[in-house]
């Protein structure tokens, strides 16, 4: 097959028009509507009937083809990660790694490789919401010159399980319950916690899942991780272990739980819209690619197994080497053709990159190709434009449903001697440039008898859960403990919460006690640990709050106005926000019209009831005396301010709006500032210390 897809042209006939048919009809120069057979359609409003009021005729092939195609528009959704949003962009190598990998995309500084990146939630269906508490998928397809490499990762560096054989159990337990088909897109229910409390190896991941990592502010503010240990292999055949990290240029940012819940009501598509609008406005999301590179001696010296996906390597122990950047600069043209039909597969790797024996990764190497066949319906899904490599694809694989390639000649087998007869003989293998599996026998126990067994250190289920806990700020710890309380409080199987708390006692006594108190249950006995946990040094890199960037770049600031709002102050604020590379969003009681102090009339970006403050990163209350009086009687306005305060956001205000702030229960603190006194700077952070005054956390 050539590197040009048969569908690169936008019309099936390659755009040709026959000379004797007029190119345009009497319809203002628009293209002609046709059937899928290219027959021009004369009437797209009425089906063919026998008489004015008679039955529709079976002969109406235009109607039948249209309805037939429509009936089959949906394809099976992904069994996990069904809800996703994606974008095109590029990866740029910022240094040459030719000494450690022969992978072409890393060899030259400045080399750019096209990518397609899909973010997703895990548990919900394709039509579910964007902001449940859930892990986010972060899948990158690199269209390299040597074929496609897919780095199919998540926004959390560890996973729930150690061995692929447990994956169907995990997914069954977290998805909606089998008999009642709820809850959608959430883990706060019986079956998930029943399973999780019986699976101590999930504890480390549960700590992450209960943290603010799983309620991100935006796809643009999540980190990404390849999770498994992979290998780089250089020209000399030397292999180096590698872990992949994506770091968002805007810094990490998450929401808080109450905000995430309210976002579900305000905008089901919060993350999808955010990604799309950022790219459409030219504010391109960007990440750095960081690597943790290590050898076998390092691996053997660690108190955990680097083949265990429930473990991470602290950055303080092995710092990241930043080797490139990822930029997303183009929205998909068509959601279905691209975002839905893209097929990622961890088995897609290129020469210079190789797998490790991580038993989770090994299972994934089977799963993805298998699932694509049932989801996309044919073994030829790799020919779809979004999946097709941007380098030549040549082999003797033939036929199958929906075959798009039209190979010439008889050479569909190898070896052959057809070339000797002047016929095309087809491609041949290349021992020099072809993919070689890394032969290095490594980690002494990686080979041996056939056993259903795991490495010895896999039995340590709690040390890194404790490490994570100890690396969080008090505010983050309170969020984690409270999430456990929230989730377990939804569990009706009464033995499950104590069983879970019994596991948490192995992580940290304070955590377990707070969860038990929050649930109102007695502190149970500690469950025996398969291997006694050890204390590791805290890793501040694991905390969001300690690593946020003090910037409003890429954020959205809500500005509440009404009739009488000071025109100059509004202009100055909008300008200041734009200068800081953020987006101002003006909210007014009547979207079409607000009459400002100088008599000018402005249109707002959103109507008050439809633009609650959870949609914004900070809130400016820019009201006159008259506007304040009017909005004091407006519950949506009071709620607007109350939620901004409750979600620990900066609130900028005019002196005249004080009564509204008062009614919303706002008390003065560092985040409540006069609009002309440093609001834009104040907007760059959240005010965690406000929280204990507002809600009881565990
Ligand atoms: Fe996946 N996973 N997974 N997974 N996964 C799928 O592939 C699977 C795992 C991840 O945007 C499926 O095309 C198994 C870890 C992402 O299209 C399926 C195991 C990580 C996406 C599948 C895992 C992931 C998927 C479902 C345990 C992070 C979405 C539909 C061995 C490193 C990609 C599909 C996209 C999707 C199987 C565990 C990430 C069924 C068997 C660990 C981001 O093949």
């Amino acid at each position: 097959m050539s590197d040009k897809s048969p569908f690169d042209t936008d019309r099936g006939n390659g755009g040709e028009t026959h000379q004797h048919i007029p190119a345009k009809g009497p319809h203002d120069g628009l293209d002609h509507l046709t059937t899928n057979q290219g027959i021009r359609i004369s009437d797209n409003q009425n089906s063919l009937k026998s008489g004015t009021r008679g039955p529709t005729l079976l002969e109406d092939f235009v109607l039948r083809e249209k309805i037939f195609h429509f009936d089959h528009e949906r394809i099976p959704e992904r069994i996990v990660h069904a809800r996703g949003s994606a974008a095109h962009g590029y990866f740029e190598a910022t240094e040459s790694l030719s000494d450690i990998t022969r992978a072409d995309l890393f060899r030259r500084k400045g080399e750019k490789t096209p990518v397609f990146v899909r973010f997703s939630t895990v548990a919900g269906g394709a039509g579910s919401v964007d902001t449940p508490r859930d892990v986010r998928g972060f899948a990158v397809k690199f269209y390299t010159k040597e074929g496609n490499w897919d780095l199919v990762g998540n926004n959390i560096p560890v996973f729930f399980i150690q061995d692929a054989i447990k994956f169907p159990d995990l997914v069954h337990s977290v998805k909606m319950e089998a008999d009642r088909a709820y809850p959608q897109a959430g883990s706060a229910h019986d079956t998930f916690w029943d399973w999780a409390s019986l699976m101590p190896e999930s504890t480390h991941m549960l700590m992450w899942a209960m943290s603010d990592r799983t309620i991100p502010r935006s796809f643009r503010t999540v980190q990404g991780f390849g999770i498994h240990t992979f290998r780089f292999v250089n020209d000399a055949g030397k292999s180096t272990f590698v872990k992949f990290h994506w770091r968002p240029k805007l810094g990490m940012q998450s929401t808080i739980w109450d905000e995430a819940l309210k976002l579900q009501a305000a905008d089901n598509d919060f993350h999808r819209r955010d990604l799309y609008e950022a790219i459409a406005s030219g504010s391109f999301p960007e990440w750095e690619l960081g690597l943790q590179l290590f050898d076998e001696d390092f691996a053997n010296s660690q108190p955990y197994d680097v083949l265990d996906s429930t473990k991470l390597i602290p950055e303080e122990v092995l710092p990241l080497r930043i080797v490139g950047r990822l930029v997303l600069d183009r929205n998909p043209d068509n959601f279905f053709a691209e975002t839905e039909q893209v097929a990622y597969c961890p088995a897609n790797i290129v020469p210079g990159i190789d797998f490790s024996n991580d038993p989770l990764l090994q299972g994934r190497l089977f799963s993805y190709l298998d699932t694509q066949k049932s989801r996309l319906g044919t073994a030829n899904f790799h020919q779809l434009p979004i999946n097709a490599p941007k380098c030549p694809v040549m082999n003797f694989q033939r036929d199958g449903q929906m075959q798009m390639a039209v190979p010439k000649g008889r050479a569909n087998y190898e070896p052959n001697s057809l070339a000797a007869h002047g016929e095309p003989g087809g491609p041949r293998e290349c021992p020099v440039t072809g993919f070689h599996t890394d032969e290095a026998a490594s980690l002494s126990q990686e080979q041996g008898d056939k056993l259903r067994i795991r490495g010895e250190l896999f039995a340590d289920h709690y040390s890194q859960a404790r490490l994570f806990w100890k690396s969080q700020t008090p505010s983050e710890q309170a969020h984690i403990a409270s999430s456990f309380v929230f989730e377990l409080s939804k569990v009706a199987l009464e033995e499950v919460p104590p069983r879970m708390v019994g596991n948490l006692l192995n992580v940290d006594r304070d955590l377990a006690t707070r969860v038990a108190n929050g649930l109102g249950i007695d502190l149970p006995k500690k469950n025996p640990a398969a291997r006694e946990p050890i204390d590791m040094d805290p890793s501040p890199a694991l905390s969001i709050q300690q690593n946020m960037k003090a910037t409003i770049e890429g954020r959205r600031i809500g500005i509440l106005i009404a009739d009488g709002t000071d025109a100059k102050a509004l202009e100055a604020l909008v300008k200041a926000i734009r200068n800081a590379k953020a987006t101002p969003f003006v909210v007014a009681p009547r979207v079409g019209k607000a009459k400002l102090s100088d008599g000018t009339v402005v249109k707002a970006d959103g109507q008050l009831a439809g633009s609650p403050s959870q949609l914004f990163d900070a809130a400016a209350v820019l009201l006159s005396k008259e506007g304040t009086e009017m909005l004091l009687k407006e519950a949506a306005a009071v709620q607007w301010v109350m939620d901004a305060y409750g979600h620990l956001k900066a609130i900028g205000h005019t002196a005249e709006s004080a009564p509204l702030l008062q009614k919303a229960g706002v008390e003065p603190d560092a985040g409540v500032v006069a609009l002309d006194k440093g609001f834009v700077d104040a907007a760059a952070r959240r005010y965690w210390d406000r929280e204990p005054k507002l809600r009881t956390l565990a």
Side-chain angles (χ1 to χ4, degrees):
M1 183 184 153
S2 85
D3 54 346
K4 190 163 165 60
S5 152
F7 288 109
D8 277 355
T9 52
D10 41 11
R11 266 173 264 162
N13 66 356
E16 287 166 26
T17 6
H18 294 279
Q19 292 306 313
H20 59 281
I21 302 174
K24 304 288 178 193
H27 46 31
D28 295 335
L30 298 175
D31 286 338
H32 290 281
L33 189 70
T34 75
T35 68
N36 282 337
Q37 302 301 324
I39 318 296
R40 287 185 183 177
I41 293 173
S42 61
D43 183 342
N44 190 35
Q45 320 303 325
N46 302 292
S47 53
L48 188 67
K49 298 176 196 80
S50 161
T52 313
R53 304 177 65 227
T56 302
L57 298 175
L58 191 59
E59 145 188 348
D60 186 353
F61 63 89
V62 177
L63 169 74
R64 277 192 293 114
E65 182 201 74
K66 187 173 175 183
I67 301 280
F68 152 80
H69 197 274
F70 170 76
D71 288 348
H72 299 278
E73 273 179 10
R74 291 288 90 86
I75 59 173
E77 66 177 34
R78 290 164 174 81
I79 168 73
V80 281
H81 297 267
R83 180 166 178 84
S85 306
H88 295 271
Y90 60 87
F91 170 75
E92 180 181 354
T94 49
E95 64 171 284
S96 165
L97 293 180
S98 51
D99 53 333
I100 38 180
T101 174
R102 53 186 286 225
D104 185 73
L105 79 160
F106 291 119
R107 288 187 88 95
R108 290 166 299 279
K109 181 179 173 186
E111 174 86 9
K112 286 190 179 169
T113 303
V115 298
F116 189 67
V117 179
R118 183 173 180 273
F119 302 96
S120 46
T121 56
V122 179
S128 61
V129 298
D130 274 349
T131 53
R133 177 176 294 288
D134 199 356
V135 181
R136 298 301 186 282
F138 191 134
V140 184
K141 188 179 282 293
F142 299 80
Y143 303 92
T144 88
K145 290 178 181 151
E146 295 180 323
N148 287 354
W149 172 40
D150 293 353
L151 184 57
V152 195
N154 280 344
N155 74 328
I156 288 178
V158 291
F159 200 62
F160 291 99
I161 49 170
Q162 298 173 324
D163 190 312
I165 201 165
K166 296 309 298 169
F167 192 65
D169 299 303
L170 160 68
V171 174
H172 286 169
S173 79
V174 75
K175 283 241 168 198
M176 58 193 188
E177 297 190 1
D179 53 354
R180 57 211 72 180
Y182 63 79
Q184 294 276 342
S187 53
H189 59 111
D190 279 14
T191 55
F192 176 70
W193 287 99
D194 182 28
W195 178 85
S197 61
L198 291 167
M199 289 291 293
E201 73 195 52
S202 69
T203 313
H204 185 198
M205 179 67 169
L206 290 173
M207 299 291 294
W208 286 80
M210 293 303 106
S211 80
D212 295 344
R213 294 268 178 167
T214 45
I215 41 173
R217 154 67 177 87
S218 160
F219 291 133
R220 298 179 291 138
T221 59
V222 295
Q223 294 185 331
F225 302 90
I227 303 189
H228 316 283
T229 296
F230 290 87
R231 292 166 183 279
F232 270 165
V233 185
N234 70 7
D235 288 320
K238 180 169 176 282
S239 117
T240 309
F241 289 123
V242 55
K243 277 183 179 276
F244 299 101
H245 298 240
W246 296 111
R247 283 191 161 172
K249 191 178 157 213
L250 298 175
M252 275 185 282
Q253 196 189 321
S254 286
T255 57
I256 60 170
W257 182 230
D258 185 66
E259 185 185 3
L261 283 175
K262 289 179 172 154
L263 274 168
Q264 294 189 22
D267 186 359
N268 290 341
D269 307 301
F270 187 63
H271 288 153
R272 179 173 291 178
R273 191 187 308 276
D274 172 89
L275 182 69
Y276 189 93
E277 287 183 353
I279 294 172
S281 72
S283 166
F284 300 142
E286 189 172 329
W287 286 261
E288 289 176 329
L289 177 65
L291 306 179
Q292 283 181 306
L293 296 160
F294 57 101
D295 59 15
E296 215 169 307
D297 287 344
F298 173 89
N300 290 333
S301 70
Q302 297 308 299
Y304 46 83
D305 197 322
V306 298
L307 301 183
D308 174 356
S309 275
T310 66
K311 308 291 182 350
L312 53 82
I313 303 178
E315 287 175 38
E316 290 75 5
V317 177
L318 184 60
L320 301 194
R321 175 163 160 192
I322 304 299
V323 300
R325 65 192 198 109
L326 171 73
V327 179
L328 299 181
D329 60 2
R330 183 162 66 86
N331 280 314
D333 289 317
N334 183 273
F335 184 87
F336 180 82
E338 302 178 275
T339 311
E340 195 59 15
Q341 292 200 116
V342 66
Y344 295 94
C345 177
N348 293 349
I349 48 167
V350 289
I353 305 176
D354 211 334
F355 314 117
S356 72
N357 286 344
D358 174 340
L360 196 65
L361 174 60
Q362 293 285 322
R364 294 179 74 201
L365 301 182
F366 159 73
S367 174
Y368 290 66
L369 192 58
D370 185 51
T371 206
Q372 314 304 3
K373 166 70 181 68
S374 68
R375 196 165 67 80
L376 296 161
T378 144
N380 289 317
F381 66 85
H382 60 282
Q383 297 178 351
L384 293 168
I386 195 64
N387 294 322
K390 297 190 194 300
C391 64
V393 173
M394 291 173 288
N395 58 42
F396 299 97
Q397 293 174 29
R398 289 290 184 272
D399 309 343
Q401 280 178 2
M402 300 296 149
Q403 178 57 257
M404 300 294 168
V406 186
K408 293 199 169 84
R410 295 191 286 175
N412 57 1
Y413 58 97
E414 188 275 343
N416 70 58
S417 59
L418 295 173
H421 300 273
E423 293 183 37
R428 293 294 185 276
E429 69 204 9
C430 176
V432 180
T433 56
F435 181 87
H436 282 276
T437 291
D438 176 38
E439 291 165 15
S442 56
L443 296 183
S444 50
Q445 291 153 10
E446 285 192 24
Q447 295 158 332
D449 301 336
K450 293 181 181 170
L451 303 164
R452 289 190 183 271
I453 200 169
R454 297 183 192 182
E456 206 179 305
L457 288 173
F458 279 51
D460 176 0
H461 300 141
Y462 298 114
S463 300
Q464 290 213 350
R466 184 181 292 173
L467 162 75
F468 183 73
W469 172 253
K470 286 199 305 191
S471 308
Q472 306 298 305
T473 65
S475 154
E476 288 172 320
Q477 289 186 335
H479 289 176
I480 293 169
S482 302
S483 308
F484 273 111
V485 172
F486 175 91
E487 298 258 322
L488 290 169
S489 70
K490 299 264 181 183
V491 173
L493 298 171
E494 56 199 32
E495 72 282 15
V496 170
R499 189 160 68 211
M500 191 61 226
V501 178
N503 287 348
L504 293 181
L505 273 166
N506 286 297
V507 178
D508 186 90
R509 198 176 167 82
D510 177 44
L511 165 66
T513 312
R514 287 158 71 173
V515 175
N517 282 345
L519 289 166
I521 59 170
D522 294 336
L523 192 66
K525 275 218 195 87
K526 181 155 79 172
N527 293 334
R531 192 181 168 102
E532 267 316 297
I534 57 163
D535 281 310
M536 297 174 67
D537 290 337
S539 166
L542 304 183
S543 154
I544 298 178
Q545 290 182 12
Q546 293 172 69
N547 294 287
M548 283 174 68
K549 286 197 179 160
T551 173
I552 62 166
E553 184 179 342
R555 309 268 157 88
R556 197 152 65 142
I557 314 295
I559 309 174
L560 181 59
I561 66 162
D563 287 351
T565 284
D566 186 324
K568 283 219 168 63
L570 177 61
E571 195 190 328
L573 180 60
V574 165
K575 203 166 149 205
I577 292 171
R578 290 220 171 99
N579 284 346
K581 297 194 189 159
T583 308
F585 191 99
V586 176
V587 179
R590 288 179 298 164
V591 71
K593 194 190 292 175
K595 199 166 173 199
L596 303 184
S597 58
D598 62 358
T600 51
V601 171
V602 291
K603 270 182 81 165
D605 301 306
Q607 199 266 333
L608 178 56
S611 313
S613 66
Q614 56 265 33
L615 297 174
F616 312 113
D617 294 285
V621 188
L622 186 40
L623 297 175
S624 64
K625 188 156 177 289
E626 167 200 0
T628 305
E629 269 161 24
M630 189 176 100
L631 292 186
L632 276 172
K633 290 178 272 178
E634 186 56 73
V638 180
Q639 194 70 42
W640 204 85
V641 179
M642 194 184 273
D643 277 338
Y645 186 64
H647 298 154
L648 319 180
K649 292 169 184 171
I651 299 179
H653 60 91
T654 56
E656 293 80 5
S657 46
L660 185 63
L661 267 61
Q662 226 161 18
K663 189 162 183 186
V666 174
E667 288 175 25
D669 66 24
V672 181
V673 294
L675 267 175
D676 50 359
K677 298 225 169 61
F679 168 65
V680 171
D681 289 339
R685 52 174 292 239
R686 297 262 180 140
Y687 295 85
W688 312 112
D689 39 358
R690 186 188 292 162
E691 194 160 33
K693 286 197 291 186
L694 299 176
R695 59 180 66 91
T696 311
L697 293 170

